């Protein structure tokens, strides 16, 4: 590795909590930025109490989302705490927050006040609905955006309520868009000399994620609405989830030449005679028109076989397919190991931690984070000294709880 990380020299203030904002901070830290996590005194980021909890100080959720950061905890109700934050933000290139619009204005940490002091600041806000529009004032989480965006309504079995997605799609998708926007704003600042306010909304990003549903509706003059279809894609036969004798797998044979290879293989391995040569199925429109007949054949054929045997047959003819894996299988997957997607960190209290890595891969630098997530207020004194506070001022702020550390009873 011959290059420094791309964001080396960039200082980021992560004034966020739970998921979307902390994820942005973790990504920027992996890319080389100095990220300072600011938490409220007492309990700190609410993510510290989220699953899987190791103790009252740390959870797996917090460890994953806040690795690579320095940690400070500041009492903003004390004038010295506000002065600390002003110095900190004056020194920053990026400020991340994910509070309800207007909440940080009351603390003197809104974009207008901070950018007046530091015009080069790139200020990134993440909220459920954004800072404009009739719903801007409303609270929300990823679940709310997933429901309102139309994504949730499209999944699940017809006649049943949609399932919970079980991953934080809205938060993570918005978070990585925020990473892209921040980097673009930093690049733009090179020429303009000024930062700007980035206004990211969970609802916006999930609506932008529709790769076909919105245009199906708009281009059909409102006659085509995506519906729940259960386990396959009605417009892309054959593309879906199938149950074998010992587990589930997915098959993607929706492209014409792939379908013909698949259908011929199925016929040659116990499927109905003529299935591979049926010209009705040789075009996508034809397959879609006869979808139910095709599904009946494929489901019966798959259901009588083992997952491994089916996957071997499909691999032999170059049909994309995969077992539906449990998390223990994912962690043990040789491909995941080869790509270093589960990393190990050494924690002073918990020993070896195994946590998901980020998918960044650069040819000339390593973005793997080895620094564990900070304890609450762990770097108070170090950061304060870097801002020019004297040892006496730091000692007094610590004694009075202006700079709060874990275990402080005040």
């Amino acid at each position: 590795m011959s290059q420094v990380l791309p964001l080396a020299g960039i200082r980021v203030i992560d004034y966020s909590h739970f998921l979307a904002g902390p994820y942005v901070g973790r990504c920027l830290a992996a890319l080389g930025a100095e990220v300072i996590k600011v938490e409220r005194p007492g309990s700190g980021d609410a993510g510290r109490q989220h699953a899987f909890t190791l103790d009252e100080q740390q959870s797996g959720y917090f460890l994953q989302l806040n690795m690579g950061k320095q940690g400070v905890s500041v009492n903003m109700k004390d004038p010295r705490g506000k002065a600390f934050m002003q110095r900190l933000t004056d020194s920053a290139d990026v400020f991340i927050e994910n509070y309800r619009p207007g909440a940080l204005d009351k603390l003197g940490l809104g974009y207008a006040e901070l950018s007046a002091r530091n015009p080069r600041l790139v200020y990134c806000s993440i909220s459920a609905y954004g800072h404009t529009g009739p719903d801007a004032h409303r609270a929300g989480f990823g679940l709310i955006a997933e429901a309102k965006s139309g994504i949730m309504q499209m999944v699940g079995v017809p006649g049943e309520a949609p399932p919970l997605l079980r991953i934080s799609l809205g938060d993570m998708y918005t978070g990585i868009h925020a990473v892209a926007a921040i980097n673009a704003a930093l690049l733009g600042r090179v020429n303009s000399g000024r930062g700007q306010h980035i206004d990211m909304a969970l609802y916006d990003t999930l609506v932008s994620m529709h790769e076909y549903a919105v245009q199906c509706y708009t281009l059909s003059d409102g006659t085509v609405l995506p519906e729940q279809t259960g386990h396959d894609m009605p417009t892309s036969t054959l593309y879906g989830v199938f149950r074998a004798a010992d587990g589930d797998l997915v098959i993607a044979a929706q492209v014409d030449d792939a379908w013909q290879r698949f259908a011929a293989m199925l016929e040659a391995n116990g499927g109905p005679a003529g299935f591979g040569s049926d010209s009705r199925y040789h075009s996508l429109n034809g397959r879609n028109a006869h979808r139910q007949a095709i599904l009946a054949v494929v489901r019966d054929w798959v259901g009588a076989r083992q997952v491994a045997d089916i996957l071997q047959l499909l691999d032999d003819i170059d049909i994309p397919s995969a077992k539906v894996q449990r998390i223990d299988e994912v962690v043990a997957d040789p491909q995941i190991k080869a790509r270093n997607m589960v990393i190990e960190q050494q924690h002073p209290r918990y020993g070896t931690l195994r946590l998901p890595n980020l998918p960044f891969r650069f040819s000339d630098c390593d973005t793997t984070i080895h620094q564990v997530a900070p304890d609450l207020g762990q770097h108070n004194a170090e950061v304060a000294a870097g801002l020019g506070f004297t040892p006496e001022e730091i000692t007094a702020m610590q004694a009075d709880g202006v700079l709060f550390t874990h275990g402080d009873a005040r």
Side-chain angles (χ1 to χ4, degrees):
M1 299 298 177
S2 59
Q3 293 187 31
V4 297
L5 289 164
L7 294 184
I10 296 294
R11 170 170 279 191
V12 177
I13 309 307
D14 181 352
Y15 200 86
S16 66
H17 57 292
F18 258 128
L19 179 51
Y23 177 73
V24 177
R26 180 195 169 179
C27 289
L28 297 178
L31 295 173
E34 176 196 19
V35 181
I36 300 174
K37 168 90 173 179
V38 182
E39 300 178 73
R40 62 188 177 188
S43 59
D45 184 340
R48 288 184 179 275
Q49 284 75 51
H50 202 55
F52 177 83
T53 304
L54 296 172
D55 55 31
E56 77 283 358
Q57 166 67 189
Q58 297 276 29
S59 67
Y61 191 92
F62 186 87
L63 289 165
Q64 176 181 339
L65 293 167
N66 294 283
M67 62 175 70
K69 304 176 186 179
Q70 299 177 66
V72 299
S73 181
V74 185
N75 180 4
M76 286 290 292
K77 296 179 180 179
D78 190 294
R80 291 171 293 175
K82 182 173 182 179
F84 177 95
M85 282 303 302
Q86 285 177 332
R87 288 200 204 180
L88 187 59
T89 55
D90 287 350
S91 73
D93 298 285
V94 178
F95 185 90
I96 305 164
E97 63 92 6
N98 61 345
Y99 289 83
R100 199 181 303 195
L104 294 193
D105 293 337
K106 301 171 185 177
L107 295 176
L109 295 176
Y111 173 67
E113 184 166 338
L114 295 189
S115 64
R117 296 178 58 92
N118 180 4
R120 291 177 55 82
L121 184 68
V122 173
Y123 188 110
C124 182
S125 297
I126 301 173
S127 60
Y129 298 100
H131 283 231
T132 58
D135 292 331
H137 67 286
R138 301 182 65 191
F141 293 93
L143 176 68
I144 309 304
E146 289 153 16
K148 286 183 67 69
S149 68
I151 291 175
M152 186 176 286
Q153 186 275 332
M154 294 164 54
V155 299
V157 177
E160 297 183 7
L164 191 69
L165 298 181
R166 293 300 302 274
I167 59 169
S168 300
L169 186 66
D171 290 277
M172 302 297 271
Y173 195 62
T174 305
I176 200 60
H177 270 69
V179 172
I182 288 168
N183 279 286
L186 289 171
L187 183 61
R189 191 182 69 172
V190 173
N191 293 323
S192 70
R194 294 186 60 85
Q196 56 185 304
H197 185 204
I198 298 168
D199 177 10
M200 302 294 303
L202 275 64
Y203 190 17
D204 291 350
T205 54
L206 288 188
V207 170
S208 80
M209 196 173 185
H210 284 294
E211 83 281 13
Y212 77 96
V214 171
Q215 58 264 37
C216 284
Y217 175 74
T218 58
L219 297 179
S220 69
D221 295 324
T223 61
V224 176
L225 280 170
E227 298 177 351
Q228 291 173 301
T229 59
H231 303 103
D232 76 302
M233 188 79 74
T235 56
S236 296
T237 309
L238 182 83
Y239 189 94
V241 187
F242 299 89
R243 174 143 289 178
D246 63 340
D248 300 321
L249 71 154
V250 294
I251 302 172
Q254 78 280 21
V255 180
D256 288 347
D257 61 346
W259 165 260
Q260 292 181 33
R261 296 196 306 275
F262 171 79
M265 180 277 298
L266 188 148
E267 180 181 349
N269 288 272
F275 187 71
S277 58
D278 194 328
S279 61
R280 295 176 301 167
Y281 305 158
H282 287 181
S283 70
L284 180 61
N285 287 339
R287 289 193 297 280
N288 290 341
H290 297 89
R291 168 175 162 260
Q292 292 299 340
I294 290 172
L295 287 175
V297 170
V298 175
R299 285 169 178 161
D300 285 347
W301 184 84
V302 169
R305 289 162 174 79
Q306 304 288 307
V307 170
D309 295 336
I310 299 168
L311 294 179
Q312 185 61 61
L313 289 169
L314 295 176
D315 279 348
D316 289 344
I317 58 171
D318 198 26
I319 299 297
S321 59
K323 181 181 181 181
V324 177
Q325 297 193 129
R326 301 182 309 268
I327 290 298
D328 59 331
E329 295 173 305
V330 175
V331 172
D333 192 324
Q335 179 67 19
I336 292 302
K337 291 183 178 180
R339 299 286 291 176
N340 195 34
M341 281 305 302
V342 177
I343 58 172
E344 290 190 355
Q345 295 180 328
Q346 298 304 315
H347 195 282
R349 288 197 303 281
Y350 312 127
T352 301
L353 303 175
R354 300 177 70 206
L355 299 166
N357 202 355
L358 293 170
F360 303 140
R361 295 293 180 273
F362 290 81
S363 62
D364 287 332
C365 55
D366 181 10
T367 61
T368 303
I369 297 176
H370 300 286
Q371 177 186 340
V372 299
D375 288 340
L376 184 60
Q378 179 179 339
H379 301 100
N380 284 342
E382 179 181 332
V383 172
L387 296 174
F389 288 95
T390 67
E392 293 76 20
E393 289 174 320
I394 295 170
T395 299
M397 287 192 290
Q398 290 175 320
D400 295 339
V402 179
L403 296 178
F404 186 92
T405 57
H406 173 60
D408 194 329
R410 284 180 283 283

